[in-house]
Amino acid sequence: MPVRVVSDSSSGIPAEIAEELDITVLDLHMVDDEDTSTSGLSALELAAAYARQLERGGDDGIVALHLSKRLSSTWSAGVSASAVFDDAVRVVDTDSAGMAVGAAAVVAASFARAGADLDGCATAAEATLAMSETWLYLRQLDDIRKSGRLSATTAMLSAALLATKPILRVNDGKLELAIKTRTQSKAFSKLVAHVAERADGVPVFAAVQYSGDKDSAATLADMLKEVLAPGSTVSLAPLTSAVAAHTGDGAIGLSVFYTTSAAE
């Protein structure tokens, strides 16, 4: 049996792809109190999920890909759960979020189907994460500031950013301010210009996700299609509820996967 791949619902893997590649996607908990939020999966829940997958996959093992440890407790719970199974469960330190994690899971599962061993699948996932960048465009910072998922520096600046259209970047597993402008169009233009420069004429895969405002997300997707090299793919899909609970309405996420390193 091939290596098994496990992720969580923040990764945004489309259901049909998860089914096709036999990726197990575990739902993060939605918490409905005064403000809708999420909570990470517990070590007990993950240990049970890993055990079920090991029963299916035998000794080939599991690659587990979860939301950045700086954004969720799920990664640390996964590490604790994996200790029960010796070296059979490899919990990758993704330092990322959203479709960057989802794409790494898809690549790992594809390698597994091709017969790669546990080390090969984990290495493929890590390489995918290393070649990706993820941004988040927000119309307001209230929801994500309340969630505690902004870096300390960005949280301190948040009051001064209320009149701007900030774009945050997932950097070293944390959300940090990357771009601030006065209008959405300027924010999108700066982001698209960065992606085009980084791609350097080589085809890429870009995943645009949105919460509520599909039209603005489609505008960003169209802008990317205009400047990216032939052969590039730009997908458009809603943000998962596990992410949208923290970003608020009107948020747009962008994950881009390059085929060359920044140094090349």
Side-chain angles (χ1 to χ4, degrees):
M1 295 291 290
V3 172
R4 309 291 301 169
V5 177
V6 176
S7 189
D8 60 65
S9 56
S10 70
S11 61
I13 303 170
E16 62 274 14
I17 293 178
E19 181 177 359
E20 178 185 350
L21 294 176
D22 209 7
I23 299 170
T24 298
V25 180
L26 306 174
D27 287 331
L28 294 175
H29 301 298
M30 300 299 296
V31 180
D32 291 316
D33 45 28
E34 188 173 329
D35 296 300
T36 300
S37 185
T38 61
S39 64
L41 293 159
S42 70
L44 184 61
E45 290 172 310
L46 289 169
Y50 296 160
R52 287 193 295 270
Q53 295 310 307
L54 284 171
E55 287 179 0
R56 294 183 63 190
D59 295 331
D60 288 330
I62 292 171
V63 175
L65 294 137
H66 299 297
L67 184 62
S68 165
K69 63 178 178 287
R70 293 175 174 86
L71 299 174
S72 171
S73 62
T74 301
W75 178 86
S76 58
V79 171
S80 296
S82 69
V84 177
F85 306 103
D86 296 323
D87 296 324
V89 179
R90 191 73 53 81
V91 183
V92 175
D93 189 358
T94 65
D95 263 349
S96 196
M99 273 301 297
V101 177
V106 167
V107 169
S110 298
F111 270 64
R113 292 187 74 178
D117 62 10
L118 183 58
D119 285 340
C121 293
T123 298
E126 291 165 349
T128 302
L129 290 161
M131 303 289 275
S132 70
E133 294 181 329
T134 295
W135 296 269
L136 186 63
Y137 167 78
L138 298 173
R139 287 188 174 172
Q140 48 83 24
L141 289 167
D142 290 345
D143 291 299
I144 203 161
R145 185 176 56 199
K146 290 176 183 176
S147 76
R149 286 168 171 79
L150 286 179
S151 69
T153 302
T154 302
M156 289 173 59
L157 290 171
S158 61
L161 294 174
L162 293 177
T164 70
K165 302 297 183 184
I167 289 181
L168 306 176
R169 179 179 175 180
V170 180
N171 183 34
D172 194 25
K174 321 184 280 292
L175 285 170
E176 296 182 349
L177 179 65
I179 300 170
K180 61 172 183 169
T181 62
R182 291 290 178 181
T183 66
Q184 176 179 285
S185 61
K186 288 182 179 179
F188 285 3
S189 293
K190 286 190 174 184
L191 184 52
V192 169
H194 168 82
V195 173
E197 181 179 3
R198 169 67 180 81
D200 195 24
V202 177
V204 303
F205 172 70
V208 180
Q209 296 176 278
Y210 59 90
S211 173
D213 187 0
K214 182 178 181 179
D215 290 342
S216 291
T219 296
L220 177 59
D222 288 341
M223 292 172 67
L224 288 164
K225 291 174 184 176
E226 289 179 3
V227 301
L228 292 175
S232 296
T233 300
V234 181
S235 70
L236 182 65
L239 281 167
T240 66
S241 57
V243 175
H246 300 292
T247 60
D249 193 46
I252 297 174
L254 172 64
S255 293
V256 182
F257 314 98
Y258 304 96
T259 54
T260 58
S261 68
E264 291 179 354

